[in-house]
C-alpha cells in the first residue's frame, strides 16, 4: 500500500502530504515552511522524486517551487495555469512515476478552473491514495466562489460533475486525502469531522455524491457559502509568480518609545498573548490576536493588507511562531517586534485593560446593555441574542463609527473572535466588555432567539 504521511496546519485548516514507497516520495501541496516536510523525509529516509500541486492556492503560499529547487525534484502544476516559472505541465490523463509509484492526473475543475486530483498507485494491488486538494473533501467539497463570484453557478456545476466523475472511476477502497476541509475557509461547508475516509464512505455521506439532482446540489452549496478572508486575493498571485523561501534575518527591535510613536501614527501593533491576559493588561492601542487560535487567518482578514505590523509577545519564541504563521499567508515583512511583559513595554499611563465577563453575567446586567455579536452574518441569522447588533469581525475596523456610543458587550461563538474585536474597539477608544464564553451558554440561559 502507498504510505502517506500527513502534515497538519491546524491554524489554517489544511493538510499537506508525503506519499512514498519507502524510498521515493511524492510531496502534495506543501506549505512554505519546508522544515516540516524535510523532517518527515529525514525520519523515513526518503528522497523527493516529485512535488505536485492540486491547484494554485488562495489560503496559503506554496512551498512547492522552493522544495523542487532544493531537491531537484520535478514540480507538477496544471498546464493551463499561467505561471511565471518552469514546471512539469500536467493535464487530465497524464501519468508520472516516482520510484515504484504511479501518479495519474485527473482534472477536477470547480474549486478552481484548473484544479487537479492525483491518483497514486503502488506496485501492488492495494487501494490507491487519492489526493483531492479542494475538490472532494470529507463530507463536502471545496468552495466554488473564489475564482469569480459571478461564476459561482458555473463552477459549482463543474465541481459536482468532476467530483462524481472522479468517484465513479475509483474503487470503493480508494483512500481520500484532501488538502482543505480541516477548518479552512476554502471548504464550501463544514466537513464531516472525519480524519480519514474512503470513496465508499464518501459515497454514503458526501453532499456531491448523495444529492442526485445537479440543480439541487448547486442550490444547497451556493446558499451555504459564507464570507472568506480578504487576504486570499493576495495569495493566488504570489503563487502564480513563484514564491521563494521563508524570510530570514532578525526583526527590528521595538522599545517603549518606538511603540509609542507607531501607535501615535495609527500603525497596527499586535499582542500575541491569550485574550484574557491581553484584556487584563496591555499596551494601550495594541490589538490582541492570540497565537492559540487561527492567528494568521484573522490577522490577514482584519488588518489592512500591507499595513506596517509590530508584534508584541512575552517570549521571543512566540515572535518566531507568529512570523512563521504570517509567512504562510504571504506576510513577510514586519516593522518590528518586542518581547516582554506590558510593564516592560510601556509605562502605566500607556497601558490599558477591559473587563471580561460570561453570558451569565450578561444576563444579570439587565436588558439595557448594548451587545455586539461579531460572528459571521450566517451565524447571526441562525441564532442570536435578542437585541444584539451584528457586525462581523472582518467588517468591524471599518464600521466602528456605526455602533452606538454606549459600552459594548462583545461576543462570538467561543471567545476568540470577540477578543480580537474587543481590541479593535479599544484601539478606537471605545469602552468594551469581552464576553469570553461559549455561545451555547447564552442559548441555555434563554438569551437567544432563532430564525
Amino acid at each position: 500500500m502507498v504510505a502517506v504521511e500527513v502534515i497538519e496546519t491546524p491554524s489554517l485548516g489544511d493538510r499537506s502530504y508525503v506519499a512514498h514507497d519507502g524510498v521515493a516520495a511524492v510531496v502534495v501541496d506543501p506549505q512554505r515552511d519546508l522544515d516540516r516536510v524535510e523532517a518527515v523525509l529525514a525520519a523515513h529516509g526518503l528522497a523527493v522524486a516529485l512535488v505536485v500541486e492540486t491547484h494554485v492556492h488562495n489560503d496559503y503560499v506554496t512551498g512547492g517551487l522552493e522544495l523542487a529547487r532544493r531537491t531537484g525534484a520535478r514540480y507538477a502544476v496544471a498546464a493551463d495555469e499561467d505561471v511565471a516559472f518552469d514546471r512539469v505541465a500536467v493535464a487530465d490523463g497524464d501519468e508520472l512515476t516516482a520510484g515504484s509509484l504511479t501518479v495519474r492526473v485527473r482534472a477536477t475543475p470547480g474549486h478552481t478552473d484548473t484544479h487537479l486530483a492525483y491518483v497514486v498507485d503502488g506496485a501492488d494491488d492495494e487501494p490507491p491514495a487519492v489526493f483531492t486538494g479542494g475538490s472532494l473533501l470529507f463530507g463536502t467539497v471545496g468552495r466554488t466562489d473564489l475564482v469569480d463570484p459571478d461564476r459561482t453557478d458555473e463552477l459549482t456545476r463543474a465541481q459536482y460533475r468532476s467530483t462524481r466523475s472522479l468517484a465513479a472511476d475509483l474503487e470503493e477502497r480508494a483512500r481520500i486525502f484532501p488538502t482543505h476541509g480541516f477548518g479552512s475557509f476554502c471548504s464550501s461547508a463544514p466537513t464531516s469531522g472525519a480524519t480519514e475516509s474512503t470513496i465508499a464512505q464518501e459515497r454514503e455521506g458526501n453532499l456531491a455524491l448523495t444529492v442526485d439532482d445537479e440543480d439541487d446540489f448547486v442550490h444547497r452549496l451556493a446558499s451555504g457559502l459564507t464570507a472568506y478572508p480578504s487576504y486570499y486575493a493576495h495569495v493566488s498571485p504570489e503563487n502564480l509568480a513563484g514564491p521563494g523561501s521563508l524570510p530570514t534575518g532578525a526583526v527590528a527591535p521595538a522599545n517603549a518609545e518606538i511603540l509609542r510613536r507607531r501607535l501615535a501614527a495609527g500603525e497596527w501593533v499586535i499582542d500575541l498573548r491569550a485574550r484574557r491576559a491581553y484584556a487584563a493588561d496591555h499596551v494601550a492601542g495594541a490589538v490582541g490576536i492570540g497565537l492559540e487560535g487561527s492567528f494568521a487567518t484573522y490577522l490577514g482578514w482584519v488588518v489592512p493588507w500591507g499595513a506596517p505590523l509590530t508584534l508584541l509577545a512575552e517570549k521571543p519564541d512566540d515572535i518566531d511562531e507568529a512570523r512563521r504563521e504570517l509567512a504562510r499567508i504571504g506576510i513577510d515583512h514586519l516593522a518590528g517586534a518586542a518581547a516582554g511583559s506590558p510593564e516592560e513595554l510601556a509605562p502605566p499611563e500607556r497601558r490599558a485593560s477591559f473587563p471580561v465577563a460570561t453570558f451569565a453575567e450578561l444576563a444579570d446586567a439587565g436588558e439595557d446593555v448594548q451587545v455586539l455579536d461579531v460572528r459571521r452574518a450566517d451565524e447571526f441569522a441562525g441564532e442570536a441574542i435578542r437585541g444584539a447588533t451584528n457586525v462581523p469581525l472582518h467588517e468591524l475596523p471599518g464600521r466602528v463609527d456605526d455602533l452606538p456610543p454606549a459600552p459594548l458587550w462583545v461576543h462570538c461563538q467561543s471567545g476568540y473572535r470577540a477578543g480580537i474585536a474587543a481590541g479593535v474597539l479599544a484601539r478606537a477608544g471605545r469602552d468594551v466588555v469581552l464576553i469570553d464564553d461559549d455561545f451555547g451558554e447564552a442559548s441555555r440561559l434563554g438569551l437567544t432567539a432563532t430564525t
Side-chain angles (χ1 to χ4, degrees):
M1 182 180 292
V2 178
V4 178
E5 314 303 330
V6 180
I7 301 173
E8 302 264 11
T9 307
S11 57
L12 294 179
D14 293 319
R15 286 179 172 181
S16 304
Y17 300 97
V18 177
H20 64 93
D21 61 4
V23 178
V26 178
V27 180
V28 183
D29 288 346
Q31 296 204 4
R32 201 175 179 194
D33 43 334
L34 292 173
D35 56 324
R36 298 185 296 161
V37 176
E38 290 166 341
V40 170
L41 297 171
H44 295 273
L46 303 172
V48 183
L50 181 64
V51 181
V52 301
E53 300 282 4
T54 58
H55 59 295
V56 174
H57 303 282
N58 290 279
D59 61 334
Y60 67 84
V61 177
T62 181
L65 179 60
E66 178 65 17
L67 181 60
R69 286 171 174 165
R70 289 187 191 182
T71 62
R74 292 164 294 158
Y75 185 34
V77 178
D80 288 338
E81 285 290 0
D82 185 18
V83 297
F85 49 84
D86 293 334
R87 89 294 202 186
V88 177
V90 293
D92 187 59
D94 287 348
E95 195 169 287
L96 305 169
T97 58
S100 65
L101 304 178
T102 301
V103 181
R104 291 179 284 136
V105 182
R106 288 294 308 267
T108 48
H111 186 52
T112 66
D113 284 301
T114 63
H115 195 285
L116 302 172
Y118 297 92
V119 181
V120 181
D121 288 288
D124 51 28
D125 292 327
E126 293 297 323
V130 186
F131 297 95
T132 55
S135 57
L136 186 68
L137 312 183
F138 294 160
T140 187
V141 294
R143 67 188 305 147
T144 53
D145 59 341
L146 296 179
V147 174
D148 181 349
D150 292 337
R151 296 181 58 210
T152 299
D153 183 272
E154 171 198 348
L155 288 171
T156 304
R157 294 181 187 278
Q159 185 80 296
Y160 181 75
R161 295 167 189 169
S162 68
T163 300
R164 292 173 74 90
S165 175
L166 176 67
D169 291 345
L170 294 171
E171 60 174 285
E172 297 280 286
R173 300 180 301 156
R175 296 169 294 152
I176 305 303
F177 296 94
T179 299
H180 302 313
F182 308 96
S184 169
F185 283 90
C186 284
S187 176
S188 63
T191 57
S192 65
T195 57
E196 58 184 33
S197 190
T198 64
I199 280 293
Q201 291 169 299
E202 293 306 311
R203 283 180 178 146
E204 292 294 320
N206 192 289
L207 180 69
L209 305 182
T210 55
V211 175
D212 291 329
D213 181 80
E214 183 176 308
D215 289 334
D216 185 19
F217 172 81
V218 170
H219 172 73
R220 291 197 199 187
L221 185 142
S223 63
L225 293 172
T226 62
Y228 58 85
S230 56
Y231 81 81
Y232 281 17
H234 304 279
V235 173
S236 179
E238 184 168 352
N239 285 328
L240 288 168
S245 57
L246 284 174
T248 57
V251 179
N255 59 27
E257 177 57 23
I258 291 172
L259 292 176
R260 185 195 67 77
R261 291 201 304 265
R262 288 180 180 165
L263 288 165
E267 292 187 15
W268 286 82
V269 175
I270 305 300
D271 189 324
L272 304 175
R273 296 174 301 149
R275 56 187 176 271
R276 283 183 176 257
Y278 164 77
D281 186 16
H282 59 269
V283 176
V287 174
I289 307 181
L291 278 173
E292 79 277 9
S294 297
F295 165 73
T297 295
Y298 284 106
L299 188 149
W301 206 348
V302 170
V303 177
W305 191 261
L309 282 176
T310 300
L311 303 182
L312 307 181
E314 289 183 314
K315 307 185 299 294
D317 287 351
D318 291 338
I319 301 291
D320 293 340
E321 181 181 349
R323 288 187 72 190
R324 177 186 291 257
E325 292 275 1
L326 293 174
R328 286 174 178 159
I329 67 166
I331 297 176
D332 287 358
H333 305 293
L334 297 176
S341 66
E343 293 92 337
E344 294 171 309
L345 299 176
E349 66 272 17
R350 292 208 298 270
R351 300 209 309 274
S353 64
F354 50 78
V356 178
T358 64
F359 283 114
E361 290 170 302
L362 173 64
D364 291 340
E367 297 181 356
D368 293 334
V369 299
Q370 295 286 336
V371 178
L372 176 64
D373 183 337
V374 295
R375 296 177 301 158
R376 298 187 313 272
D378 59 294
E379 296 173 281
F380 183 80
E383 182 180 10
I385 291 174
R386 288 184 292 274
T389 298
N390 177 228
V391 178
L393 173 59
H394 59 278
E395 298 178 10
L396 185 60
R399 295 182 58 186
V400 172
D401 292 342
D402 298 340
L403 297 171
L408 296 165
W409 291 57
V410 187
H411 81 88
C412 61
Q413 191 70 28
S414 64
Y416 185 77
R417 287 174 288 176
I420 301 170
V424 170
L425 291 165
R427 177 178 184 262
R430 301 300 304 270
D431 291 329
V432 294
V433 178
L434 166 61
I435 302 176
D436 188 17
D437 203 354
D438 188 277
F439 185 69
E441 185 65 10
S443 182
R444 189 189 70 78
L445 292 167
L447 300 176
T448 66
T450 58
T451 58

